[in-house]
Amino acid sequence: MSVLSDAAASGFTYVGRAVRVVFGIGALDALEDEMERLALRRVLVIATPEQRESALDAASGVRDRIAGFFAEARMHVPVDVAHRARAYAREIGADGALAIGGGSTIGLGKAIALETGLPVVAVPTTYAGSEMTTIYGLTEHAIKTTGRDERVLPKTVIYDPALTVSLSAAQSAASGLNAVAHAVEGLYAVDGNPIVALLAEESIRALAGGRPAVVRTPADLAARSACLYGAWLAGTVLGAVSMALHHKLCHTLGGTFDLPHAQTHAVVLPYVAEFNAPAVPDAMVRIARALGVLDAVSGLRALADELNVPHSLRELGMRAEDLDRGAELAVAEPYPNPRPFDRAAIRTLLERAYGGSVIAA
Ligand code: NAD
Protein backbone atom coordinates (compact mmCIF):
# COMPACT_ATOMS: atom_id res chain seq x y z
CA MET A 1 0.00 0.00 0.00
CA SER A 2 1.34 3.40 -0.92
CA VAL A 3 -0.79 6.20 0.41
CA LEU A 4 1.15 8.76 -1.51
CA SER A 5 0.76 7.09 -4.89
CA ASP A 6 -2.92 6.29 -4.23
CA ALA A 7 -3.54 9.90 -3.28
CA ALA A 8 -1.47 11.23 -6.14
CA ALA A 9 -3.54 9.16 -8.51
CA SER A 10 -6.90 10.25 -7.19
CA GLY A 11 -6.03 13.73 -5.91
CA PHE A 12 -7.19 15.24 -2.64
CA THR A 13 -8.08 18.43 -0.81
CA TYR A 14 -6.65 19.23 2.59
CA VAL A 15 -7.69 22.18 4.75
CA GLY A 16 -5.28 23.08 7.57
CA ARG A 17 -6.85 25.00 10.43
CA ALA A 18 -5.06 27.49 12.62
CA VAL A 19 -5.42 26.39 16.21
CA ARG A 20 -2.60 27.11 18.59
CA VAL A 21 -1.89 23.96 20.61
CA VAL A 22 0.13 23.92 23.81
CA PHE A 23 0.73 20.36 24.92
CA GLY A 24 2.48 18.76 27.90
CA ILE A 25 2.41 17.88 31.57
CA GLY A 26 2.09 21.25 33.31
CA ALA A 27 0.96 23.03 30.10
CA LEU A 28 -1.75 24.71 32.16
CA ASP A 29 0.99 26.98 33.52
CA ALA A 30 1.00 28.62 30.07
CA LEU A 31 -2.62 29.78 30.47
CA GLU A 32 -1.68 33.30 31.57
CA ASP A 33 0.68 33.79 28.62
CA GLU A 34 -1.84 32.34 26.19
CA MET A 35 -4.56 34.68 27.41
CA GLU A 36 -2.21 37.61 27.14
CA ARG A 37 -1.37 36.57 23.59
CA LEU A 38 -5.09 36.81 22.77
CA ALA A 39 -5.44 40.02 24.84
CA LEU A 40 -8.14 38.39 26.98
CA ARG A 41 -8.86 40.35 30.17
CA ARG A 42 -12.43 39.36 31.10
CA VAL A 43 -13.17 35.75 30.31
CA LEU A 44 -16.19 33.70 31.19
CA VAL A 45 -15.01 30.36 32.61
CA ILE A 46 -17.32 27.47 31.79
CA ALA A 47 -17.54 23.98 33.25
CA THR A 48 -20.02 21.25 34.15
CA PRO A 49 -21.51 21.20 37.67
CA GLU A 50 -19.38 18.08 38.36
CA GLN A 51 -16.17 19.91 37.45
CA ARG A 52 -17.06 23.17 39.16
CA GLU A 53 -14.31 22.95 41.79
CA SER A 54 -11.62 21.47 39.55
CA ALA A 55 -12.25 24.08 36.84
CA LEU A 56 -12.04 26.91 39.36
CA ASP A 57 -8.82 25.39 40.61
CA ALA A 58 -7.43 25.04 37.08
CA ALA A 59 -8.28 28.68 36.34
CA SER A 60 -6.91 30.02 39.62
CA GLY A 61 -3.66 31.11 37.98
CA VAL A 62 -5.55 33.61 35.82
CA ARG A 63 -8.08 34.81 38.41
CA ASP A 64 -7.37 38.45 37.56
CA ARG A 65 -8.64 37.82 34.04
CA ILE A 66 -11.90 36.11 35.07
CA ALA A 67 -15.11 38.11 34.81
CA GLY A 68 -17.56 35.29 35.55
CA PHE A 69 -18.07 31.60 36.06
CA PHE A 70 -20.82 29.45 34.54
CA ALA A 71 -20.82 25.84 35.71
CA GLU A 72 -23.96 24.56 34.02
CA ALA A 73 -22.59 22.85 30.91
CA ARG A 74 -24.50 19.68 30.04
CA MET A 75 -24.29 16.90 27.48
CA HIS A 76 -25.42 17.87 23.94
CA VAL A 77 -25.71 21.63 24.75
CA PRO A 78 -29.41 22.23 25.55
CA VAL A 79 -30.55 25.45 23.85
CA ASP A 80 -31.78 27.02 27.10
CA VAL A 81 -28.35 26.51 28.70
CA ALA A 82 -26.70 28.13 25.66
CA HIS A 83 -29.12 31.10 25.89
CA ARG A 84 -28.36 31.65 29.56
CA ALA A 85 -24.60 31.32 29.06
CA ARG A 86 -24.63 33.86 26.21
CA ALA A 87 -26.78 36.27 28.20
CA TYR A 88 -24.41 35.98 31.15
CA ALA A 89 -21.39 36.52 28.88
CA ARG A 90 -22.99 39.74 27.60
CA GLU A 91 -24.02 40.87 31.07
CA ILE A 92 -20.47 40.64 32.42
CA GLY A 93 -18.91 42.08 29.26
CA ALA A 94 -16.84 38.94 28.63
CA ASP A 95 -14.14 39.19 25.98
CA GLY A 96 -13.69 35.42 25.63
CA ALA A 97 -14.70 32.02 26.95
CA LEU A 98 -12.40 29.65 28.81
CA ALA A 99 -13.85 26.13 28.55
CA ILE A 100 -12.34 23.64 31.01
CA GLY A 101 -13.76 20.15 30.62
CA GLY A 102 -14.88 17.52 28.13
CA GLY A 103 -16.92 17.72 24.94
CA SER A 104 -19.99 19.04 26.77
CA THR A 105 -18.16 22.04 28.21
CA ILE A 106 -16.29 22.80 25.01
CA GLY A 107 -19.60 22.42 23.16
CA LEU A 108 -21.08 25.19 25.32
CA GLY A 109 -18.05 27.36 24.58
CA LYS A 110 -18.72 26.82 20.90
CA ALA A 111 -22.39 27.73 21.30
CA ILE A 112 -21.33 31.02 22.91
CA ALA A 113 -18.82 31.71 20.14
CA LEU A 114 -21.34 30.91 17.42
CA GLU A 115 -23.61 33.78 18.40
CA THR A 116 -21.30 36.26 20.09
CA GLY A 117 -18.10 35.72 18.09
CA LEU A 118 -16.12 35.59 21.36
CA PRO A 119 -12.82 33.66 21.12
CA VAL A 120 -12.65 30.33 22.96
CA VAL A 121 -9.68 28.97 24.84
CA ALA A 122 -10.20 25.24 25.46
CA VAL A 123 -8.62 23.11 28.15
CA PRO A 124 -9.85 19.58 27.35
CA THR A 125 -10.08 17.03 30.15
CA THR A 126 -11.42 14.04 28.14
CA TYR A 127 -10.45 12.45 24.82
CA ALA A 128 -13.58 13.51 22.86
CA GLY A 129 -11.69 15.87 20.50
CA SER A 130 -14.32 18.60 20.09
CA GLU A 131 -11.72 21.31 20.68
CA MET A 132 -10.13 20.64 17.29
CA THR A 133 -13.28 20.88 15.19
CA THR A 134 -15.57 23.51 13.71
CA ILE A 135 -18.54 21.26 14.53
CA TYR A 136 -21.13 22.55 16.99
CA GLY A 137 -24.31 20.98 18.29
CA LEU A 138 -27.40 22.34 20.04
CA THR A 139 -30.30 20.33 21.43
CA GLU A 140 -33.92 21.46 21.63
CA HIS A 141 -36.95 19.24 22.34
CA ALA A 142 -34.70 16.13 22.26
CA ILE A 143 -33.51 16.96 18.74
CA LYS A 144 -29.84 17.72 18.29
CA THR A 145 -28.89 19.98 15.41
CA THR A 146 -25.27 20.07 14.34
CA GLY A 147 -23.41 22.31 11.95
CA ARG A 148 -19.97 23.55 11.05
CA ASP A 149 -18.79 27.11 11.52
CA GLU A 150 -15.24 28.45 11.62
CA ARG A 151 -16.24 30.87 14.41
CA VAL A 152 -16.59 28.06 16.96
CA LEU A 153 -13.08 26.67 16.52
CA PRO A 154 -11.07 27.45 19.68
CA LYS A 155 -8.21 29.89 19.14
CA THR A 156 -5.96 28.11 21.61
CA VAL A 157 -6.07 24.61 23.09
CA ILE A 158 -4.09 23.70 26.17
CA TYR A 159 -3.63 19.96 26.59
CA ASP A 160 -2.34 19.12 30.04
CA PRO A 161 -2.37 15.36 30.74
CA ALA A 162 -2.33 16.08 34.49
CA LEU A 163 -5.91 17.37 34.18
CA THR A 164 -7.09 14.00 32.85
CA VAL A 165 -5.89 11.99 35.85
CA SER A 166 -9.22 12.54 37.60
CA LEU A 167 -11.18 11.02 34.71
CA SER A 168 -12.36 7.64 35.99
CA ALA A 169 -10.97 4.44 34.49
CA ALA A 170 -14.35 3.59 32.96
CA GLN A 171 -14.84 7.06 31.47
CA SER A 172 -11.23 7.13 30.25
CA ALA A 173 -11.69 3.80 28.47
CA ALA A 174 -14.90 4.84 26.74
CA SER A 175 -13.65 8.32 25.89
CA GLY A 176 -10.46 6.85 24.44
CA LEU A 177 -12.48 4.55 22.18
CA ASN A 178 -14.55 7.57 21.15
CA ALA A 179 -11.26 9.07 19.91
CA VAL A 180 -10.22 5.81 18.22
CA ALA A 181 -13.57 5.89 16.37
CA HIS A 182 -12.76 9.34 14.90
CA ALA A 183 -9.45 8.00 13.62
CA VAL A 184 -10.94 4.77 12.25
CA GLU A 185 -13.58 6.64 10.26
CA GLY A 186 -11.00 9.21 9.15
CA LEU A 187 -9.13 6.37 7.45
CA TYR A 188 -12.02 5.64 5.12
CA ALA A 189 -13.59 9.10 4.90
CA VAL A 190 -15.07 10.06 1.54
CA ASP A 191 -12.89 13.18 1.62
CA GLY A 192 -9.88 11.48 3.22
CA ASN A 193 -6.34 12.44 2.32
CA PRO A 194 -2.79 11.30 3.09
CA ILE A 195 -2.19 13.85 5.88
CA VAL A 196 -5.31 12.74 7.69
CA ALA A 197 -4.37 9.08 7.21
CA LEU A 198 -1.01 9.71 8.88
CA LEU A 199 -2.67 11.50 11.78
CA ALA A 200 -5.32 8.80 12.15
CA GLU A 201 -2.91 5.90 12.19
CA GLU A 202 -0.63 7.63 14.69
CA SER A 203 -3.66 8.49 16.80
CA ILE A 204 -4.77 4.87 17.05
CA ARG A 205 -1.22 3.80 17.87
CA ALA A 206 -0.92 6.34 20.68
CA LEU A 207 -4.37 5.65 22.13
CA ALA A 208 -4.01 1.88 21.98
CA GLY A 209 -0.55 2.15 23.53
CA GLY A 210 -1.54 4.37 26.43
CA ARG A 211 -5.09 3.26 27.10
CA PRO A 212 -4.65 -0.03 28.97
CA ALA A 213 -2.08 1.55 31.32
CA VAL A 214 -4.42 4.48 31.98
CA VAL A 215 -7.20 2.13 32.96
CA ARG A 216 -4.95 0.07 35.25
CA THR A 217 -3.17 3.08 36.76
CA PRO A 218 -5.16 6.28 36.21
CA ALA A 219 -2.34 8.45 37.58
CA ASP A 220 0.24 7.17 35.06
CA LEU A 221 1.19 10.48 33.45
CA ALA A 222 3.20 8.95 30.63
CA ALA A 223 0.21 6.87 29.57
CA ARG A 224 -2.13 9.85 30.07
CA SER A 225 0.16 11.89 27.80
CA ALA A 226 0.07 9.21 25.09
CA CYS A 227 -3.72 9.10 25.21
CA LEU A 228 -4.19 12.86 25.17
CA TYR A 229 -1.74 13.11 22.26
CA GLY A 230 -3.76 10.45 20.42
CA ALA A 231 -6.96 12.31 21.28
CA TRP A 232 -5.58 15.55 19.86
CA LEU A 233 -4.72 13.79 16.59
CA ALA A 234 -8.14 12.10 16.53
CA GLY A 235 -9.85 15.45 17.08
CA THR A 236 -7.83 16.90 14.21
CA VAL A 237 -9.00 14.04 12.00
CA LEU A 238 -12.61 14.58 13.10
CA GLY A 239 -12.31 18.25 12.23
CA ALA A 240 -10.68 17.67 8.86
CA VAL A 241 -12.82 15.04 7.13
CA SER A 242 -16.36 13.63 7.04
CA MET A 243 -17.36 10.87 9.38
CA ALA A 244 -19.34 7.84 8.19
CA LEU A 245 -21.78 5.16 9.37
CA HIS A 246 -20.31 4.76 12.85
CA HIS A 247 -20.77 8.42 13.74
CA LYS A 248 -24.22 8.52 12.19
CA LEU A 249 -25.29 5.55 14.31
CA CYS A 250 -23.82 7.00 17.49
CA HIS A 251 -25.38 10.42 16.93
CA THR A 252 -28.74 8.78 16.27
CA LEU A 253 -28.58 6.50 19.30
CA GLY A 254 -27.25 9.20 21.59
CA GLY A 255 -29.64 11.90 20.42
CA THR A 256 -32.83 9.86 20.15
CA PHE A 257 -32.47 7.30 22.92
CA ASP A 258 -30.32 9.35 25.27
CA LEU A 259 -27.50 6.80 25.38
CA PRO A 260 -24.19 7.99 26.88
CA HIS A 261 -21.94 9.49 24.19
CA ALA A 262 -18.53 7.89 24.73
CA GLN A 263 -19.87 4.49 25.81
CA THR A 264 -22.08 4.27 22.72
CA HIS A 265 -19.00 4.85 20.55
CA ALA A 266 -17.15 2.15 22.49
CA VAL A 267 -19.90 -0.43 21.96
CA VAL A 268 -20.67 0.29 18.30
CA LEU A 269 -17.14 0.68 16.87
CA PRO A 270 -16.19 -3.00 16.33
CA TYR A 271 -19.53 -3.72 14.66
CA VAL A 272 -19.20 -0.91 12.15
CA ALA A 273 -15.54 -1.76 11.54
CA GLU A 274 -16.57 -5.33 10.84
CA PHE A 275 -19.31 -4.14 8.47
CA ASN A 276 -17.05 -1.75 6.56
CA ALA A 277 -13.92 -3.94 6.52
CA PRO A 278 -14.56 -5.66 3.16
CA ALA A 279 -14.95 -2.26 1.45
CA VAL A 280 -11.80 -0.63 2.88
CA PRO A 281 -8.91 -3.11 3.04
CA ASP A 282 -6.22 -0.38 3.08
CA ALA A 283 -7.80 1.32 6.08
CA MET A 284 -7.99 -2.04 7.86
CA VAL A 285 -4.28 -2.64 7.23
CA ARG A 286 -3.48 0.72 8.78
CA ILE A 287 -5.72 0.10 11.81
CA ALA A 288 -4.21 -3.36 12.36
CA ARG A 289 -0.69 -1.96 12.02
CA ALA A 290 -1.46 0.79 14.54
CA LEU A 291 -2.90 -1.76 16.97
CA GLY A 292 0.02 -4.14 16.40
CA VAL A 293 -2.27 -7.01 15.35
CA LEU A 294 -2.98 -8.94 12.18
CA ASP A 295 -6.70 -8.24 11.94
CA ALA A 296 -8.20 -4.79 12.57
CA VAL A 297 -11.67 -5.91 13.65
CA SER A 298 -10.58 -8.51 16.16
CA GLY A 299 -7.91 -6.03 17.33
CA LEU A 300 -10.55 -3.39 18.05
CA ARG A 301 -12.66 -5.98 19.85
CA ALA A 302 -9.65 -7.12 21.91
CA LEU A 303 -8.90 -3.50 22.84
CA ALA A 304 -12.48 -3.02 24.03
CA ASP A 305 -12.22 -6.27 26.02
CA GLU A 306 -8.99 -5.21 27.63
CA LEU A 307 -10.51 -1.86 28.55
CA ASN A 308 -13.56 -3.56 30.00
CA VAL A 309 -16.01 -1.12 28.40
CA PRO A 310 -19.70 -2.07 28.08
CA HIS A 311 -20.18 -4.56 25.26
CA SER A 312 -23.80 -4.11 24.34
CA LEU A 313 -26.35 -1.38 23.69
CA ARG A 314 -28.61 -3.25 26.10
CA GLU A 315 -26.12 -2.57 28.91
CA LEU A 316 -26.33 1.15 28.02
CA GLY A 317 -30.10 1.14 28.51
CA MET A 318 -31.34 0.81 24.94
CA ARG A 319 -34.64 -1.09 24.60
CA ALA A 320 -35.10 -3.90 22.09
CA GLU A 321 -38.28 -2.23 20.78
CA ASP A 322 -36.21 0.80 19.72
CA LEU A 323 -34.01 -1.15 17.29
CA ASP A 324 -36.39 -0.65 14.36
CA ARG A 325 -36.60 3.07 14.96
CA GLY A 326 -32.81 3.29 15.35
CA ALA A 327 -32.29 1.56 12.00
CA GLU A 328 -34.84 3.82 10.32
CA LEU A 329 -33.25 7.00 11.61
CA ALA A 330 -29.72 5.87 10.73
CA VAL A 331 -30.76 5.22 7.15
CA ALA A 332 -32.57 8.55 6.81
CA GLU A 333 -30.10 11.24 5.72
CA PRO A 334 -27.13 8.87 5.94
CA TYR A 335 -23.51 10.03 6.19
CA PRO A 336 -21.37 8.91 3.23
CA ASN A 337 -20.07 5.40 3.90
CA PRO A 338 -17.62 3.24 1.94
CA ARG A 339 -19.94 0.22 1.98
CA PRO A 340 -23.52 0.78 0.83
CA PHE A 341 -26.22 -0.30 3.25
CA ASP A 342 -29.96 -0.54 3.60
CA ARG A 343 -32.30 -0.56 6.55
CA ALA A 344 -32.13 -4.36 6.94
CA ALA A 345 -28.32 -4.37 7.12
CA ILE A 346 -28.34 -1.66 9.77
CA ARG A 347 -31.09 -3.43 11.72
CA THR A 348 -28.90 -6.56 11.81
CA LEU A 349 -25.84 -4.57 12.84
CA LEU A 350 -27.77 -2.83 15.61
CA GLU A 351 -29.29 -6.07 16.81
CA ARG A 352 -25.85 -7.60 17.19
CA ALA A 353 -24.55 -4.52 18.97
CA TYR A 354 -27.65 -4.61 21.18
CA GLY A 355 -26.98 -8.18 22.24
CA GLY A 356 -23.18 -7.79 22.33
CA SER A 357 -22.67 -10.67 19.88
CA VAL A 358 -19.09 -11.80 19.67
CA ILE A 359 -17.65 -10.90 16.31
CA ALA A 360 -16.41 -13.81 14.28
CA ALA A 361 -13.29 -12.29 12.80
P1 NAD B 1 -18.55 15.14 28.88
O1 NAD B 1 -17.87 16.41 28.54
O2 NAD B 1 -20.03 15.13 28.92
O3 NAD B 1 -17.99 14.63 30.28
C1 NAD B 1 -18.60 13.52 30.93
C2 NAD B 1 -18.52 13.72 32.43
O4 NAD B 1 -17.17 13.60 32.86
C3 NAD B 1 -19.00 15.10 32.89
O5 NAD B 1 -19.65 14.98 34.11
C4 NAD B 1 -17.69 15.85 33.06
O6 NAD B 1 -17.78 16.93 33.96
C5 NAD B 1 -16.79 14.75 33.59
N1 NAD B 1 -15.37 14.97 33.33
C6 NAD B 1 -14.79 15.40 32.18
N2 NAD B 1 -13.45 15.40 32.33
C7 NAD B 1 -13.19 15.00 33.59
C8 NAD B 1 -12.00 14.79 34.33
N3 NAD B 1 -10.79 14.98 33.79
N4 NAD B 1 -12.11 14.38 35.60
C9 NAD B 1 -13.31 14.13 36.16
N5 NAD B 1 -14.47 14.28 35.50
C10 NAD B 1 -14.40 14.72 34.23
O7 NAD B 1 -18.09 13.93 27.94
P2 NAD B 1 -17.34 13.89 26.54
O8 NAD B 1 -17.46 12.49 26.09
O9 NAD B 1 -16.02 14.52 26.63
O10 NAD B 1 -18.22 14.84 25.61
C11 NAD B 1 -19.45 14.43 25.08
C12 NAD B 1 -20.13 15.55 24.36
O11 NAD B 1 -19.23 16.17 23.45
C13 NAD B 1 -21.32 15.09 23.53
O12 NAD B 1 -22.35 16.06 23.61
C14 NAD B 1 -20.77 15.02 22.12
O13 NAD B 1 -21.76 15.14 21.13
C15 NAD B 1 -19.81 16.19 22.14
N6 NAD B 1 -18.72 16.08 21.15
C16 NAD B 1 -18.67 17.02 20.18
C17 NAD B 1 -17.66 16.99 19.23
C18 NAD B 1 -17.56 18.06 18.19
O14 NAD B 1 -16.66 18.05 17.35
N7 NAD B 1 -18.48 19.01 18.17
C19 NAD B 1 -16.69 15.97 19.28
C20 NAD B 1 -16.78 15.02 20.28
C21 NAD B 1 -17.80 15.08 21.23
Side-chain angles (χ1 to χ4, degrees):
M1 178 185 51
S2 162
V3 171
L4 195 58
S5 59
D6 290 353
S10 55
F12 60 88
T13 301
Y14 172 73
V15 179
R17 292 202 163 81
V19 180
R20 184 175 161 87
V21 171
V22 182
F23 188 103
I25 300 164
L28 188 64
D29 293 344
L31 188 54
E32 170 80 21
D33 287 349
E34 294 304 320
M35 288 174 68
E36 180 58 29
R37 179 179 278 271
L38 293 169
L40 296 178
R41 306 273 188 274
R42 298 186 53 78
V43 294
L44 172 62
V45 180
I46 50 183
T48 60
E50 297 82 18
Q51 285 179 282
R52 186 185 177 85
E53 298 308 321
S54 58
L56 271 177
D57 190 42
S60 60
V62 291
R63 63 171 68 82
D64 293 348
R65 294 174 187 264
I66 298 175
F69 186 54
F70 188 88
E72 295 178 45
R74 282 184 23 220
M75 187 82 90
H76 304 313
V77 194
V79 162
D80 63 305
V81 175
H83 283 329
R84 278 190 287 114
R86 289 166 182 151
Y88 185 48
R90 287 196 184 99
E91 183 190 321
I92 62 174
D95 59 5
L98 172 59
I100 304 174
S104 299
T105 302
I106 292 166
L108 181 57
K110 288 173 157 183
I112 294 171
L114 183 67
E115 212 173 79
T116 62
L118 291 178
V120 176
V121 173
V123 182
T125 61
T126 69
Y127 306 120
S130 176
E131 64 281 354
M132 293 307 294
T133 84
T134 59
I135 307 165
Y136 64 88
L138 285 161
T139 304
E140 188 165 29
H141 308 307
I143 297 191
K144 185 166 179 175
T145 316
T146 57
R148 287 186 187 252
D149 195 305
E150 297 291 334
R151 277 177 301 177
V152 309
L153 187 69
K155 297 283 179 280
T156 301
V157 179
I158 296 181
Y159 285 108
D160 189 337
L163 297 179
T164 62
V165 165
S166 52
L167 193 64
S168 71
Q171 192 66 25
S172 298
S175 188
L177 286 171
N178 182 191
V180 170
H182 305 329
V184 165
E185 294 230 292
L187 282 168
Y188 53 65
V190 65
D191 47 1
N193 60 65
I195 306 290
V196 160
L198 290 173
L199 296 175
E201 185 175 336
E202 174 70 356
S203 165
I204 297 170
R205 187 172 292 115
L207 285 158
R211 196 111 307 285
V214 155
V215 171
R216 274 194 311 274
T217 317
D220 181 335
L221 276 178
R224 287 286 184 187
S225 300
C227 290
L228 199 56
Y229 168 64
W232 164 38
L233 299 180
T236 307
V237 169
L238 177 69
V241 293
S242 307
M243 295 289 108
L245 176 62
H246 171 82
H247 281 73
K248 174 69 186 187
L249 281 175
C250 293
H251 291 163
T252 302
L253 297 173
T256 310
F257 307 118
D258 204 25
L259 303 189
H261 175 82
Q263 286 80 358
T264 306
H265 276 269
V267 168
V268 171
L269 182 61
Y271 296 95
V272 175
E274 182 192 38
F275 179 80
N276 277 335
V280 285
D282 286 358
M284 293 297 135
V285 168
R286 279 183 169 269
I287 295 164
R289 193 165 62 198
L291 293 173
V293 298
L294 290 176
D295 178 74
V297 176
S298 45
L300 289 170
R301 168 59 79 184
L303 182 62
D305 280 346
E306 192 177 352
L307 297 177
N308 206 17
V309 287
H311 276 75
S312 68
L313 295 174
R314 182 172 43 201
E315 280 170 76
L316 301 185
M318 189 169 179
R319 302 175 315 163
E321 54 267 39
D322 287 333
L323 288 172
D324 281 331
R325 174 109 178 101
E328 241 162 60
L329 289 171
V331 173
E333 297 175 45
Y335 296 179
N337 192 62
R339 181 173 168 190
F341 55 81
D342 57 16
R343 188 189 165 287
I346 299 306
R347 175 70 169 78
T348 304
L349 189 159
L350 281 181
E351 193 172 332
R352 299 187 58 224
Y354 174 79
S357 320
V358 174
I359 290 176

